[in-house]
């Protein structure tokens, strides 16, 4: 059975926030549905733009098969940094899953889909609220 280490956040991400206990329940349920073993989560520090815990989890691959994050929007807002993380995970033959969105990156072609979603999300604040 493949194993995924959880990744939860103690701070807001993209303006959203969710209790760590709820994040862990979502991760456990997601892993159960896809028949992966869920390993207890690493919790990111509340310091803005800190991704130390994420880096530690990435470094665990290949001792684990990958990471399951609560949301893809917990990834760094810097596209360059996100791509670096994805590349490193894939080079180590690892996976990264995003439980809330039901998405995963297990091959290079998956990155484009994730980045398209990021682009839309980052554009939303600039969109008009009402269209006449």
């Amino acid at each position: 059975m493949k194993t995924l280490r959880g990744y939860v956040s103690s701070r807001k991400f993209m303006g959203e926030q969710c209790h760590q206990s709820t994040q862990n329940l979502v991760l456990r349920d997601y892993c159960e549905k896809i028949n992966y073993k869920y390993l207890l989560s690493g919790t990111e520090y509340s310091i803005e733009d800190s991704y130390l815990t994420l880096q530690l989890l990435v470094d665990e691959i290949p001792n684990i098969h990958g990471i399951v994050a609560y949301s893809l929007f917990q990834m760094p807002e810097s596209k360059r940094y996100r791509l670096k993380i994805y590349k490193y995970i894939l080079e180590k033959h690892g996976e990264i899953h995003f439980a809330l969105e039901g998405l995963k990156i297990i091959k290079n072609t998956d990155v484009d889909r994730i980045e398209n979603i990021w682009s839309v999300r980052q554009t939303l604040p600039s969109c008009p609220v009402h269209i006449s």
Side-chain angles (χ1 to χ4, degrees), residues 12 38 47 56 68 71 85 115 123 126:
K12 288 185 177 185
Y38 170 61
I47 303 164
L56 290 172
V68 57
S71 172
I85 289 171
E115 285 305 305
T123 303
S126 304

Side-chain angles (χ1 to χ4, degrees), residues 85-131:
I85 289 171
Y86 301 152
K87 180 181 177 186
Y88 190 67
I89 290 170
L90 292 172
E91 284 175 351
K92 293 173 84 173
H93 306 288
E95 308 173 3
I96 185 162
H97 295 244
F98 308 104
L100 191 62
E101 296 84 10
L103 299 171
K104 61 187 172 190
I105 296 176
I106 58 172
K107 56 188 182 299
N108 283 318
T109 55
D110 297 330
V111 173
D112 291 337
R113 181 175 186 203
I114 298 299
E115 285 305 305
N116 285 338
I117 294 169
W118 258 95
S119 294
V120 170
R121 175 72 171 157
Q122 289 176 316
T123 303
L124 284 176
S126 304
C127 294
V129 177
H130 299 286
I131 300 175

Side-chain angles (χ1 to χ4, degrees), residues 6-7 13 36 43-44 62 64-66 69 83 94 100 104 118 121:
Y7 177 65
F13 47 92
Y36 278 51
T43 303
E44 193 57 75
I64 58 173
H65 292 96
L83 293 176
L100 191 62
K104 61 187 172 190
W118 258 95
R121 175 72 171 157

Side-chain angles (χ1 to χ4, degrees), residues 4-125:
L4 295 176
R5 170 84 60 205
Y7 177 65
V8 298
S9 184
S10 60
R11 64 173 183 251
K12 288 185 177 185
F13 47 92
M14 295 290 280
E16 305 292 328
Q17 191 167 15
C18 181
H19 291 283
Q20 292 173 31
S21 59
T22 303
Q23 292 178 56
N24 279 304
L25 288 171
V26 170
L27 298 182
R28 188 186 68 200
D29 184 57
Y30 175 84
C31 287
E32 188 176 291
K33 285 180 182 175
I34 64 169
N35 201 31
Y36 278 51
K37 183 178 179 183
Y38 170 61
L39 302 175
L40 291 178
S41 297
T43 303
E44 193 57 75
Y45 295 99
S46 60
I47 303 164
E48 191 172 333
D49 293 325
S50 170
Y51 296 96
L52 282 169
T53 300
L54 178 60
Q55 188 59 56
L56 290 172
L57 298 181
V58 170
D59 291 341
E60 278 192 64
I61 301 168
N63 296 326
I64 58 173
H65 292 96
I67 299 165
V68 57
Y70 173 71
S71 172
L72 68 94
F73 299 114
Q74 288 174 285
M75 297 297 103
E77 288 196 39
S78 162
K79 183 176 182 175
R80 182 186 305 172
Y81 192 22
R82 280 196 313 275
L83 293 176
K84 182 180 173 183
I85 289 171
Y86 301 152
K87 180 181 177 186
Y88 190 67
I89 290 170
L90 292 172
E91 284 175 351
K92 293 173 84 173
H93 306 288
E95 308 173 3
I96 185 162
H97 295 244
F98 308 104
L100 191 62
E101 296 84 10
L103 299 171
K104 61 187 172 190
I105 296 176
I106 58 172
K107 56 188 182 299
N108 283 318
T109 55
D110 297 330
V111 173
D112 291 337
R113 181 175 186 203
I114 298 299
E115 285 305 305
N116 285 338
I117 294 169
W118 258 95
S119 294
V120 170
R121 175 72 171 157
Q122 289 176 316
T123 303
L124 284 176

